């Protein structure tokens, strides 16, 4: 049973005995004091209360003293925390009766009733005599009074502070639990933190400071009381796993307390929001505004930009955004603006002078390829501008969405407008791209009579020679976007080889034929291969090789200058297709290898095959 209840029952018992003992005359020295000496307080205390209730004995010095001492012993037996109410009541009672006893006990009382005060019997250190001195009695009572006053004073402060500490901790825990329920992901808390969240974090920090300060006051008060059995210590546990730790309650009335450090968590959270998130959101808004300003310049028609356009989102900014957001709305919005600006620049005749050059086939094909890629990228980003992403993004980046895009509704309208524009752009540029992709594959003569396929062997849509009198074996593009083609020209009974140069507009600049003397190939499968090879500066060299074993001459090597004049043509029989071709720039000789370097070193392969042949600068073979 709680000791405060015991105390109440004692008082009740005392009053109950008053009427039953009133009929009998009680003598203090004969009836009460022997019980006190025997420590039989269950019987003694009701009798003392009756004794003191009599006006004639109410001022009995020792009776008052014994009441004070009895309640002082109760105080010393109580726990400062668990018996907080009882200890305050008992200490108040003890102080009242000890104070009264101190004034009633005199020299006369000590001489008259010295047997009541044997606990104060001691040796005088100055004279060596034994006895009871009024000064010793007064000093002992005063010490007890001082201790009781301290207990009474500091017990209230201890309990009050612990109550406040407990309340502060409960507030912090409730606030933290509310955060974890509303924002299961800590990054969402960081990004969505408004003034309410920030104010609550500040209150948690203040509560943590209050807990530390008041707990120090509790420890100080306990040390001043000097009671044993209660030596409070407070240890804080860090919250390292958000949403998993910090959810259990703590009893600050216990002796040793392990409490969750909500204050440190709140400080760390507040620092991330103030230091990282605020800066990050400011950067996002700033780059968004710059991209919009550049868009206005690009589409203004002046053809003048104040600074180089932003062509990509900085990797560091992307890393920072992705650190806190798995599906970041700003990345999609910024990507749309970056890619739209690129698209608008490429399609602006004032900013892109090459746009109007329809004969620049390579550029027009590369341009339309790039535009289709940009459309694809924008389509991917635009597709994310739907619910619940818009609402969630607006909560995380309220300033960006509200001020730059007109809020949730503005974003929806923005998406709808982009969808319409991208659909139209896709139709237009897909057609354009397809036209130039087809045009890039063919070289056409000025009169339109001849057309050469420029991507042989690499294109599965190769047109069979039934539809063209030319069969391209190999092609090569130089640094000036000229395409050189070597192949077969079908002329009935007198087929010939050809080498041609096609410019960037895919016009045949020239075409030179060469004979196919004893050069056999299959009419259906052709069974020929070829390759452009290293040559001296100012010339283009190549060879074609027949895979038909019966061919008397199975390789034709040739060299031609950029103007279409043939330097030399050689036809001969070799053991197999060249494995490598090198050009010696010092002596201007072309070396064809039919054996690998390893085979040549080890003497491997056909002994009748020397493994190579050389064509000098004049076209002579040795």
């Amino acid at each position: 049973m709680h000791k405060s209840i015991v105390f109440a029952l004692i008082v009740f018992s005392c009053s109950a005995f008053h009427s039953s003992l009133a009929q009998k005359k009680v003598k203090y020295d004969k009836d009460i004091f022997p019980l006190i000496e025997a420590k039989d307080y269950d019987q003694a205390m009701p009798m003392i209360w009756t004794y003191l209730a009599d006006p004639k004995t109410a001022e009995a010095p020792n009776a008052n003293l014994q009441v004070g001492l009895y309640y002082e012993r109760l105080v010393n037996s109580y726990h400062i925390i668990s018996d907080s109410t009882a200890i305050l009541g008992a200490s108040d009672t003890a102080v009242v009766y000890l104070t009264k006893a101190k004034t009633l006990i005199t020299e006369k009382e000590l001489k008259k009733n010295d047997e009541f005060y044997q606990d104060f019997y001691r040796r005088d250190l100055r004279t060596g005599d034994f006895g009871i001195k009024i000064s010793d009695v007064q000093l002992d009572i005063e010490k007890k009074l001082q201790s009781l006053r301290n207990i009474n004073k500091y017990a209230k402060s201890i309990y009050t502070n612990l109550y406040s500490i407990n309340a502060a901790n409960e507030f912090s825990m409730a606030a933290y639990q509310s955060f974890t329920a509303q924002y299961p992901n800590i990054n969402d808390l960081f990004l969505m933190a408004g003034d309410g969240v920030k104010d609550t974090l500040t209150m948690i920090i203040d509560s943590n400071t209050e807990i530390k300060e008041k707990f120090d006051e509790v420890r100080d008060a306990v040390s001043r009381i000097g009671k044993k059995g209660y030596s409070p210590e407070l240890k804080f546990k860090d919250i390292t796993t958000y949403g998993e730790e910090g959810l259990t309650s703590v009893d600050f009335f216990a002796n040793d307390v392990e409490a969750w450090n909500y204050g440190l968590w709140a400080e760390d959270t507040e620092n991330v929001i103030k230091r990282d998130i605020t800066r990050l959101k400011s950067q996002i808004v700033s780059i968004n505004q710059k991209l919009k300003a550049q868009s206005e310049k690009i589409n203004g028609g002046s053809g003048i930009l104040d600074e180089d356009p932003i062509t990509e989102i900085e990797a560091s900014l992307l890393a920072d955004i992705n650190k806190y957001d798995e599906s970041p709305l700003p990345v999609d919005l910024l990507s749309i603006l970056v890619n739209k600006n690129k698209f608008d620049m490429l399609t602006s005749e004032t900013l892109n002078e090459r746009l109007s050059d329809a004969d620049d086939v390579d550029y027009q094909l590369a341009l339309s390829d790039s535009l289709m890629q940009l459309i694809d990228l924008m389509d991917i980003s635009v597709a994310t501008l739907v619910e619940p992403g818009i609402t969630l993004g607006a909560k995380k980046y309220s300033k960006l969405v509200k001020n730059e895009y007109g809020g949730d509704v503005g974003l929806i309208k923005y998406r709808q407008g982009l969808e319409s524009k991208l659909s139209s752009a896709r139709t237009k540029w897909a057609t354009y791209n397809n036209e130039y992709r087809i045009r890039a594959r063919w070289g056409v003569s000025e009169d339109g009579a001849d057309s050469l396929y420029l991507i042989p062997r690499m294109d599965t849509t190769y047109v069979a020679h039934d539809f063209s009198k030319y069969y391209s074996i190999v092609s090569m593009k130089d640094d000036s976007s000229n395409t050189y083609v070597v192949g077969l020209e079908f002329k009935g009974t007198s087929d010939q080889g050809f080498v041609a140069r096609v410019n960037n507009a895919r016009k045949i600049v020239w075409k030179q034929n060469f004979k196919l003397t004893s050069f056999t190939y299959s009419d259906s499968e052709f069974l020929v291969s070829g390759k452009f090879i290293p040559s001296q500066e100012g010339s283009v060299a190549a060879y074609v090789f027949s895979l038909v074993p019966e061919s008397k001459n199975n390789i034709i090597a040739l060299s031609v200058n950029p103007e279409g004049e043939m330097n030399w043509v050689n036809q001969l029989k070799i053991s197999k297709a060249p494995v490598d071709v090198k050009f010696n720039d010092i002596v201007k000789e072309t070396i064809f290898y039919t054996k690998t370097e390893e085979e040549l070193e080890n003497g491997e392969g056909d002994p009748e095959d020397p493994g190579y042949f050389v064509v000098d600068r004049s076209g002579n073979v040795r």
Side-chain angles (χ1 to χ4, degrees), residues 24 241 331 343:
K24 179 182 176 182
T241 307
V331 171
F343 184 93

Side-chain angles (χ1 to χ4, degrees), residues 481-498:
S481 291
N482 292 302
T483 303
Y484 292 87
V485 185
V486 176
L488 305 177
E489 182 177 350
F490 307 114
K491 294 190 174 183
T493 58
S494 58
D495 294 345
Q496 293 184 342
F498 73 87

Side-chain angles (χ1 to χ4, degrees), residues 154-378:
Y154 290 111
K156 290 179 180 178
S157 119
I158 290 170
Y159 188 80
T160 300
N161 282 333
L162 287 177
Y163 185 85
S164 298
I165 289 170
N166 222 45
N169 183 73
E170 286 178 355
F171 164 79
S172 296
M173 182 177 70
Y176 173 78
Q177 289 177 334
S178 176
F179 285 148
T180 61
Q182 187 174 357
Y183 310 103
N185 187 319
I186 185 65
N187 288 333
D188 288 345
L189 172 61
F190 292 151
L191 292 169
M192 296 184 191
D195 291 339
V197 169
K198 295 173 185 177
D199 290 344
T200 301
L201 290 173
T202 300
M203 293 170 68
I204 293 175
I205 295 170
D206 292 342
S207 294
N208 198 63
T209 301
E210 179 186 359
I211 289 171
K212 291 177 179 179
E213 291 176 350
K214 289 189 178 297
F215 204 88
D216 285 342
E217 292 178 13
V218 168
R219 295 185 67 220
D220 179 66
V222 170
S223 68
R224 292 178 183 275
I225 290 174
K227 279 181 63 62
K228 296 180 180 180
Y230 180 61
S231 179
E233 293 295 335
L234 173 59
K235 179 182 178 182
F236 279 114
K237 297 182 293 184
D238 292 343
I239 298 173
T240 56
T241 307
Y242 173 80
E244 295 181 16
E245 297 175 322
L247 303 176
T248 53
S249 58
V250 176
D251 182 13
F252 277 87
F253 291 97
N255 197 39
D256 292 324
V257 180
E258 272 197 344
W260 293 110
N261 200 339
Y262 297 111
L264 179 60
W265 173 84
E267 285 179 2
D268 292 342
T269 301
E270 187 178 64
N271 286 337
V272 170
I273 294 170
K274 288 182 176 179
R275 182 189 63 239
D276 298 338
I277 302 302
T278 301
R279 174 190 57 80
L280 178 60
K281 289 183 178 181
S282 177
Q283 281 184 287
I284 291 170
V285 170
S286 176
I287 192 72
N288 193 86
Q289 291 173 344
K290 286 183 179 179
L291 287 167
K292 282 189 171 183
Q294 286 185 356
S295 176
E296 292 177 2
K297 292 284 186 180
I298 291 168
N299 293 289
S302 66
I304 300 174
L305 296 180
D306 297 336
E307 55 185 355
D308 292 337
I310 299 170
T311 57
E312 61 182 359
I313 306 171
E314 290 185 5
S316 58
L317 178 58
L318 283 175
D320 288 344
I321 296 174
N322 290 323
K323 177 181 177 181
Y324 295 106
D325 200 344
E326 293 180 355
S327 302
L329 177 68
V331 171
D332 291 310
L333 292 175
L334 295 179
S335 295
I336 290 170
L337 291 177
V338 168
N339 291 323
K340 184 177 181 300
N341 284 354
K342 289 180 182 179
F343 184 93
D344 291 345
M345 284 186 64
L346 290 174
T347 55
S348 168
E349 292 187 358
T350 55
L351 293 173
N352 184 9
E353 295 178 355
R354 296 182 69 181
L355 180 64
S356 59
D357 187 357
D359 286 336
D360 192 346
V361 174
D362 285 345
Y363 177 75
Q364 296 298 336
L365 180 59
L367 170 68
S368 56
D369 281 342
S370 296
L371 293 175
M372 292 304 297
Q373 290 176 6
L374 291 172
I375 291 170
D376 287 341
L377 291 173
M378 284 189 280

Side-chain angles (χ1 to χ4, degrees), residues 9 30 49 123 139 149 177 196 208 210 274 299 318 321 333 394 476 494-495 506 513 545-546 567 573 575 587-588 618:
L9 290 176
K30 301 292 185 181
W49 285 119
R123 183 178 181 179
L139 181 60
R149 292 188 186 106
Q177 289 177 334
N208 198 63
E210 179 186 359
K274 288 182 176 179
N299 293 289
L318 283 175
I321 296 174
L333 292 175
M476 176 196 73
S494 58
D495 294 345
R506 297 310 189 263
N513 290 108
F545 181 80
S546 172
N567 294 324
K573 178 79 171 183
S575 60
V587 295
K588 312 301 181 186
S618 299

Side-chain angles (χ1 to χ4, degrees), residues 1-245:
M1 182 181 294
H2 197 281
K3 292 185 179 179
S4 61
I5 300 176
V6 174
F7 173 68
L9 290 176
I10 290 173
V11 175
F12 175 76
S13 299
C14 292
S15 61
F17 273 101
H18 286 176
S19 58
S20 63
L21 296 178
Q23 306 299 324
K24 179 182 176 182
K25 184 66 175 179
V26 177
K27 292 186 177 181
Y28 186 79
D29 57 342
K30 301 292 185 181
D31 299 318
I32 299 175
F33 192 73
L35 294 174
I36 292 173
E37 283 188 304
K39 299 186 179 353
D40 187 357
Y41 299 108
D42 289 343
Q43 291 190 62
M45 289 310 297
M47 296 174 70
I48 287 181
W49 285 119
T50 302
Y51 187 75
L52 290 175
D54 189 340
K56 295 180 180 180
T57 55
E59 301 298 316
N62 194 259
N64 281 281
L65 176 64
Q66 294 302 331
V67 172
L69 293 175
Y70 171 74
Y71 282 101
E72 186 232 2
R73 283 190 289 272
L74 284 180
V75 169
N76 291 331
S77 68
Y78 289 152
H79 190 277
I80 192 69
I81 300 302
S82 57
D83 304 316
S84 57
T85 303
I87 206 171
L88 291 173
S91 62
D92 282 341
T93 303
V95 168
V96 169
Y97 283 91
L98 285 177
T99 301
K100 188 175 181 181
K102 183 182 177 183
T103 61
L104 294 173
I105 298 172
T106 61
E107 289 280 6
K108 181 180 179 181
E109 168 65 13
L110 294 178
K111 290 178 181 180
K112 180 180 178 182
N113 298 306
D114 64 338
E115 70 275 16
F116 296 159
Y117 300 96
Q118 290 303 303
D119 287 343
F120 298 100
Y121 189 83
R122 64 196 60 167
R123 183 178 181 179
D124 189 321
L125 296 177
R126 183 173 60 83
T127 65
D129 296 334
F130 286 90
I132 301 172
K133 297 173 59 177
I134 185 66
S135 60
D136 289 341
V137 175
Q138 297 289 336
L139 181 60
D140 280 5
I141 294 175
E142 184 55 40
K143 286 181 178 179
K144 292 181 183 298
L145 283 170
Q146 186 58 45
S147 175
L148 287 165
R149 292 188 186 106
N150 279 342
I151 289 174
N152 192 281
K153 174 183 176 181
Y154 290 111
K156 290 179 180 178
S157 119
I158 290 170
Y159 188 80
T160 300
N161 282 333
L162 287 177
Y163 185 85
S164 298
I165 289 170
N166 222 45
N169 183 73
E170 286 178 355
F171 164 79
S172 296
M173 182 177 70
Y176 173 78
Q177 289 177 334
S178 176
F179 285 148
T180 61
Q182 187 174 357
Y183 310 103
N185 187 319
I186 185 65
N187 288 333
D188 288 345
L189 172 61
F190 292 151
L191 292 169
M192 296 184 191
D195 291 339
V197 169
K198 295 173 185 177
D199 290 344
T200 301
L201 290 173
T202 300
M203 293 170 68
I204 293 175
I205 295 170
D206 292 342
S207 294
N208 198 63
T209 301
E210 179 186 359
I211 289 171
K212 291 177 179 179
E213 291 176 350
K214 289 189 178 297
F215 204 88
D216 285 342
E217 292 178 13
V218 168
R219 295 185 67 220
D220 179 66
V222 170
S223 68
R224 292 178 183 275
I225 290 174
K227 279 181 63 62
K228 296 180 180 180
Y230 180 61
S231 179
E233 293 295 335
L234 173 59
K235 179 182 178 182
F236 279 114
K237 297 182 293 184
D238 292 343
I239 298 173
T240 56
T241 307
Y242 173 80
E244 295 181 16
E245 297 175 322

Side-chain angles (χ1 to χ4, degrees), residues 501-513:
R501 173 186 163 191
V502 179
N503 63 19
N504 188 22
R506 297 310 189 263
K507 297 296 183 181
I508 299 174
V509 180
W510 51 255
K511 179 172 67 67
Q512 285 285 356
N513 290 108

